[in-house]
Amino acid sequence: MQHDRSVKGNVEFSLEGSQDGKAKTYSLKDLLPTDAKSNWPFAFRYFQDFDRELILPAGFTPEKINIEVKSRTKSIASVKQSFLWETAQS
């Protein structure tokens, strides 16, 4: 791996779950505050934390997060992964 190269691209995000007992999927733009930009560009060399505020609709129970980090850098592949929604219990 060459550590002197950077990668640029966009993040795509969706959240799967149930809305009032029925399967429902929301995209990032559906979950953002009204004044937030729905595009999610990135540019980094080593590591980057992604942090966005989301507003979950009333009656929606999240179950799975789908994230795709789409590289615009030709020599670096895009990454797509899903994670189960977990909440911390205190």
Side-chain angles (χ1 to χ4, degrees), residues 10-13 42 66-70 78-81:
N10 289 294
V11 176
E12 291 192 7
F13 172 97
F42 69 86
N66 303 303
I67 300 174
E68 184 171 6
V69 181
K70 291 186 151 187
S78 297
V79 176
K80 186 175 186 177
Q81 198 160 4

Side-chain angles (χ1 to χ4, degrees), residues 10 15 23 29 40 44 50 53 55-57 63-64 67 71-72 75-76 81:
N10 289 294
L15 188 56
K29 68 179 180 176
W40 194 348
F44 62 94
F50 296 108
E53 179 182 355
I55 299 173
L56 301 181
E63 297 168 4
K64 185 166 72 169
I67 300 174
S71 171
R72 287 190 323 231
S75 62
I76 299 176
Q81 198 160 4

Side-chain angles (χ1 to χ4, degrees), residues 39-50:
N39 65 332
W40 194 348
F42 69 86
F44 62 94
R45 179 170 289 160
Y46 300 105
F47 300 98
Q48 180 175 342
D49 288 330
F50 296 108

